[in-house]
Amino acid sequence: MSGSQRVGVVVGAGAVLVSAYMHFYLYFWGGYRGISPERVAGLDISRSFALNAIVGLVIAELLVLSLRYDRLTLPAAALGVVFALGALGAYTLSRTSGLLGFTESGWSTEAVISKSAEVVAVLSLGTVLVRGLSARRSPAAAS
């Protein structure tokens, strides 16, 4: 893994972790713990915040492990991009048509921090993913 890829992985892991922490914070201290207007397959907005925090922590850990084990880099980067895009998409839905019966209004500090971190994660991990995939296709170009 090149030096720039390592930086991208570290930045992406930090960004995913920040997003996960913001969801953890909102679940436990931000008032999102008891929100349950609708459930789909046992999942409501409240539980999705807790799930987001757990999954984000696991993905950030995989990204850090990929610094040691190169074969984890591309799968972990892909998971990080999907995680961040999913969180951005869910927030967009909650602000427009609603998500699981919940509609978000206004911008809180936590939302700004979380959405900024998710954009950083998509950009940094997306770059790692594109460079890693292009290096696999043309091994001579990676040398």
Side-chain angles (χ1 to χ4, degrees):
M1 178 184 321
S2 71
S4 64
Q5 277 189 310
R6 293 179 83 76
V7 169
V9 168
V10 169
V11 169
V16 167
L17 193 59
V18 166
S19 173
Y21 177 75
M22 285 294 103
H23 286 86
F24 172 84
Y25 175 85
L26 288 169
Y27 179 76
F28 283 104
W29 298 291
Y32 282 64
R33 192 174 197 167
I35 300 173
S36 183
E38 291 179 16
R39 284 190 179 184
V40 174
L43 187 65
D44 57 23
I45 284 295
S46 180
R47 289 181 182 165
S48 68
F49 271 74
L51 185 62
N52 186 295
I54 294 165
V55 170
L57 178 64
V58 170
I59 291 172
E61 191 169 338
L62 282 172
L63 286 163
V64 170
L65 283 171
S66 76
L67 296 170
R68 174 80 165 101
Y69 304 103
D70 283 344
R71 66 182 173 273
L72 290 177
T73 303
L74 295 181
L79 285 172
V81 169
V82 169
F83 170 82
L85 287 174
L88 287 166
Y91 189 72
T92 301
L93 281 175
S94 74
R95 291 189 57 86
T96 55
S97 61
L99 180 64
L100 296 172
F102 176 74
T103 304
E104 181 70 58
S105 60
W107 282 90
S108 66
T109 302
E110 294 85 0
V112 171
I113 292 169
S114 181
K115 299 310 123 196
S116 299
E118 289 152 7
V119 168
V120 168
V122 168
L123 293 175
S124 62
L125 296 174
T127 301
V128 168
L129 201 55
V130 167
R131 285 184 178 175
L133 291 173
S134 65
R136 276 190 170 181
R137 286 190 185 146
S138 58
S143 302

